[in-house]
Structures are given as structure tokens and as C-alpha cells.
Amino acid sequence: MSFDYDLFVIGGGSGGVRAARVAAGDTGAKVALAEEDRYGGTCVIRGCVPKKLMVFASEYADMVGDAQAYGWDIKAGAFNWGHFRGKMHAELDRLEGIYRNILKNNGVESFDARAKLVDAHTVELSDGTRKTAKHILIATGGHPVKPDIPGAELAITSNEIFHLETLPKTMLIVGGGYIASEFAGIMNGLGVKTTQFYRGAQILRGFDDEARGLVCEEMCQAGIDVHLGTNVLEMRKEGDQIWVKATNGEERLFDHVMFATGRAPNADDLGLEALGIERGRKGEILVDDYSQTGVPSVFAIGDVTDRVNLTPVAIREGMAFVETVFKGNPTKPDHELIPTAIFTQPEMGTVGLSEEDAAEQEPIDVYSTSFKPMQQAFAGRAQRVLMKLVVSKASRKVLGCHIVAPGAGEMIQLAGIAVKMGATKEDFDRTVAVHPTMSEELVTMKTPVRSA
Ligand SMILES: Cc1cc2nc3c(=O)[nH]c(=O)nc-3n(C[C@H](O)[C@H](O)[C@H](O)COP(=O)(O)OP(=O)(O)OC[C@H]3O[C@@H](n4cnc5c(N)ncnc54)[C@H](O)[C@@H]3O)c2cc1C
């Protein structure tokens, strides 16, 4: 049977672009890709990249104060959102161009269209044309969802925050995950009076308790009004503002409300049901260890499969798919010991098990130290950092490493290599400290603070 293409990829985000590029570029496969919106997907257009630029922008406020403490005769001026937003979007346009060119330069034919499946080897584009392919890869990502409460339409999500006309004076951020907590820090740093509601007992659920506790404490110290155990009941427009009634009985007005209360896979209206492709409880596409759906010619990777929703993971899944299907080398994407950063202020870097999860698994020793870092302490800031290792009593392997500190994302990338290699506490100990740094504490902690 002959097909138009060897591979048709639906979705031009992190996972889809990488799979298409590698399949076409490395193996000479005939590849096409459809993208209904902008190339680069969530990460480049409305996720990691613009978010990190906003984190950078928001951190300068404190730097001016620190510089003064170090003797610099400088004064903080006002933050110009319009100037920054223009530059940020110009940068995103540039990156989108790069993604388009990557596809073109590797011989991938791209269609600016929505695509859906018609049968196991056919996709239909939004203009009605149909294309056939030996393999179809679904990499359609996800989207933010708002809770079903009165007035929810008045709120924005992370999709809209990058396009605000003006910066609000006051903002409520609802949610306790990494996106909500990161934007609380960003907005606060940019001078917006920021409130965060989270219905749970502590933000950043699933991460190490001690680490997330410190992040929350520092966020409050920095001026964010964090309300735990609190959710929004209803909202309505009141003049230019939004009236919010909270579950704690409070009624307050905000210029903007942002929901960061969850994301759902983009798997509706893709024609999956007709093909019998199964979906999970959250609507995600169910795949096996090789990202294959129940229909052998159809694979799915990235956020639409809701495994580990991070850009480098979508990319790894895309590359493993190409290895398996186009290079004859069956490869499972590795979801173990993924280092990751949360760009809150302070930042958190983490790899492996939290103290709580490790303690459920086996007896552990916990090495942990919290202190005021030299650079900020000199400037008179009370900020604290945390360096923590969770160690197996039996094997002495480091099961988890958790860092809360400026630059924690950069540190955990490197600590992640050691943990992935199976380093023991003694391997950390025989590594000479880099002095004076914050992370030297990771190799100088002598006695466990507790065992469990
Ligand atoms: C605010 C925010 C911050 C984030 N920060 C980080 C971070 O710091 N680090 C990190 O690792 N991850 C981060 N992420 C997560 C990361 O962005 C995603 O995990 C990653 O983009 C998933 O890649 P993907 O290829 O699965 O999907 P996406 O990148 O979402 O790409 C899917 C693409 O498919 C297109 N599409 C959908 N349906 C169709 C269709 N039917 N036809 C054609 N095209 C279609 C979409 O338009 C989209 O471009 C963040 C996410 C958000 C929302």
C-alpha cells in the first residue's frame, strides 16, 4: 500500500517538531506536519519561554535594592510593561520563525491547518483535504481549564497573561501548582499587589514538603498574600474590577483574576472515538511504553498523553518514537528521575523522591540545611535557602535532591546527573566543595537531621 507520507505529525509544539525533524532529517523519511496555531507550541508561544522572560523581568526590582546595598548609587525607575511586552513578543516571533525553518530545512512539509484522524492512515485538514501516512503521530498538547463557577469567564488563564494591555494594580491568582505559584512571584515582582488562593493545605502539591513550605514562606515574606485552604466561589464584574467571593467568606475586588487550576489534553474532535483510540480519566490519549495507541499506526506523545507534562519530556518521547518506528531500535522514553525546576521566587530545583515518598518506600536518612545566602544576606535581605538530600539507609543512594535557592534550576541540572547515575551520599561527600557557593552545602552535610 502506498501513502502520501511515511509520517504525519499533528501539532507543531515541542514534541511534534522534534519528532518530525529527526524522522525527516536523520532517516530521510517523508514527513508532513500540521499546526493549527503557532509553531513552537505551548512552550515557545505561551509557556516556558515567555514565562521565563517574565521571571527575569520581575527579578530586577530586588536587584536594584541589592545593588544599592553593595554601594551602587542607582535608583529604581518604573517598570514599563508595554516596552517589555513588545520585546517579548518580538522574541517569540523570532523563535517561531526558527521552528518553521527547522521543519523546512529538514524537508518536512508543513500545513497551517487543524488536522484530525479519519482512519488509521488518513488525516483530514481544516480545508477538507486528506493526506495518508504510514504512521500518524499525535502531539497536540494541552490547554488551561477554568473551574465551572459563576463569573469564571471574567478570569484569564496563562494563555492571556502574556497579552495584557496594561499591568493591573491588583491581581488574584487561583491555584497552587507551579504555574500559579510562578506567576504569583512574577506579578509581585513587577509591582502588582498579588493575592494567591489555593484550596489545598500547601502550594506545590507533590513536591518535598520542607522545600515547598520554604517556598511558600518566602513568597509571603516577599509580599504575596497567599491564602491556603481558600477557593473562589463566585465572581462578577463591578465597574472596571472583578468582585470575588471566596470560600473563607471574604469578598474582595481585583483588577484581574487568573485561573491556573489545571490543564486538559487537546484530544477532543480528533476523530479518536471512531478509530477506537482509548482515552483516560482526564481525556488523555492512552499509550503503551513506546507511545503507541491501540491502533498500531497511531502514536501519541507529549502533554496530550498526560504522562510527565514538561517540554524536555515531550522531546524525549518524540525522539524515542523516531528510534522505535524509523530507526528499528525499540526505545521506551525514560520517565525516571527527571530533574525539574519551579521558577518561583525563590526558585526550586528537584530530582527524585520527596522525603515523604521516599520514607514510604524504605528507611531513609535526611540531610538538610537552611541558611541565609551570602549575596542576599550582605544586602540585608532575610531570604533563606534550602539544600536537602534524601538518602537510602540501605544502599546509601541519594533518592532525592531538593534545592530552594536563586539559581536552583541551574544547580539541579547538574545534581540530576549524579542522582541519575546512582550516586551515594558518600560519592557526594568525596566531591570537593566549590567555595564560596550555596551548593557546596550539598557535599558538606555530615550528619542526618533526621531518619525515617
Ligand atoms: C505557563 C506554562 C509554563 C510552562 N513552563 C514550563 C517550564 O518551565 N519547563 C517545562 O519543561 N515545561 C513547561 N511547561 C509545559 C510545556 O510547555 C509543555 O509540557 C510542552 O509544551 C508540551 O509539548 P507538546 O509537544 O506535548 O505540546 P505543545 O507544545 O502544547 O504543542 C501542541 C501543538 O499542537 C497544536 N494543535 C493542537 N491540536 C491540533 C490539531 N488538531 N491540529 C493541528 N495542530 C494542533 C497546538 O496549537 C500546539 O501548537 C509550561 C506550560 C505552561 C502552560
Side-chain angles (χ1 to χ4, degrees), residues 10-16 34-38 40-43 46-48 51 113-116 139-142 158 162 178-179 182-183 263 266 270 301-304 308-312 314 341 343:
I10 306 179
S14 307
E35 168 53 55
E36 67 171 343
D37 188 2
R38 294 186 63 186
T42 303
C43 178
R46 60 193 90 86
C48 333
K51 176 216 47 202
R114 184 177 162 75
K116 63 179 189 184
T140 48
S158 61
F162 306 111
Y178 81 92
I179 295 176
E182 288 176 343
F183 276 104
R263 293 178 62 80
N266 289 331
L270 276 181
I301 54 163
D303 285 10
V304 75
V308 179
N309 297 334
L310 292 170
T311 283
F343 296 101

Side-chain angles (χ1 to χ4, degrees), residues 99 128 189 247 250 260 326 333 380 388 397 416:
Y99 272 78
T247 46
E250 259 190 62
F326 289 93
K388 175 167 180 176
K397 270 192 185 171

Side-chain angles (χ1 to χ4, degrees), residues 19-38:
R21 163 167 91 75
V22 180
D26 284 12
T27 76
K30 195 168 179 221
V31 181
L33 180 146
E35 168 53 55
E36 67 171 343
D37 188 2
R38 294 186 63 186

Side-chain angles (χ1 to χ4, degrees), residues 380-420:
R381 277 207 261 161
Q383 195 183 345
R384 280 190 310 130
V385 302
L386 172 78
M387 301 285 153
K388 175 167 180 176
L389 295 176
V390 179
V391 177
S392 159
K393 261 188 191 295
S395 69
R396 300 297 294 155
K397 270 192 185 171
V398 176
L399 303 174
C401 175
H402 310 284
I403 302 173
V404 177
E410 303 291 344
M411 296 179 212
I412 205 68
Q413 180 68 80
L414 303 178
I417 300 172
V419 175
K420 184 83 184 163

Side-chain angles (χ1 to χ4, degrees), residues 184-363:
I186 290 169
M187 287 296 148
N188 182 55
L190 295 180
V192 176
K193 202 167 170 339
T194 306
T195 304
Q196 183 178 3
F197 284 1
Y198 176 50
R199 65 181 180 185
Q202 183 54 282
I203 60 168
L204 300 173
R205 188 163 63 89
F207 294 101
D208 184 85
D209 274 358
E210 191 178 5
R212 64 199 186 115
L214 179 58
V215 171
C216 186
E217 213 178 292
E218 291 293 331
M219 284 171 63
C220 294
Q221 284 283 340
I224 302 167
D225 186 14
V226 181
H227 293 252
L228 299 172
T230 308
N231 209 344
V232 176
L233 273 181
E234 60 173 303
M235 312 194 311
R236 65 167 180 263
K237 193 108 188 115
E238 202 161 299
D240 285 343
Q241 293 187 298
I242 302 169
W243 170 89
V244 173
K245 183 163 185 194
T247 46
N248 62 6
E250 259 190 62
E251 297 177 28
R252 284 168 68 178
L253 290 170
F254 297 97
D255 293 339
H256 267 300
V257 176
M258 174 175 135
F259 280 122
T261 44
R263 293 178 62 80
N266 289 331
D268 291 344
D269 304 321
L270 276 181
L272 303 177
E273 289 69 24
L275 265 83
I277 292 176
E278 278 186 71
R279 293 172 64 182
R281 204 172 46 85
K282 280 182 69 183
E284 74 277 15
I285 298 179
L286 296 180
V287 290
D288 68 10
D289 286 350
Y290 296 93
S291 302
Q292 190 171 30
T293 70
V295 174
S297 57
V298 181
F299 290 71
I301 54 163
D303 285 10
V304 75
T305 60
D306 194 32
R307 286 175 280 180
V308 179
N309 297 334
L310 292 170
T311 283
V313 178
I315 289 174
R316 288 291 177 110
E317 289 169 359
M319 305 218 301
F321 158 78
V322 175
E323 280 293 321
T324 303
V325 175
F326 289 93
K327 297 189 179 177
N329 173 28
T331 304
K332 297 177 187 178
D334 181 358
H335 293 117
E336 292 299 311
L337 294 172
I338 295 170
T340 188
I342 298 111
F343 296 101
T344 38
Q345 296 172 38
E347 218 166 279
M348 186 201 293
T350 176
V351 62
L353 297 176
S354 66
E355 178 181 339
E356 298 69 40
D357 287 347
E360 273 190 18
Q361 179 182 294
E362 61 184 277

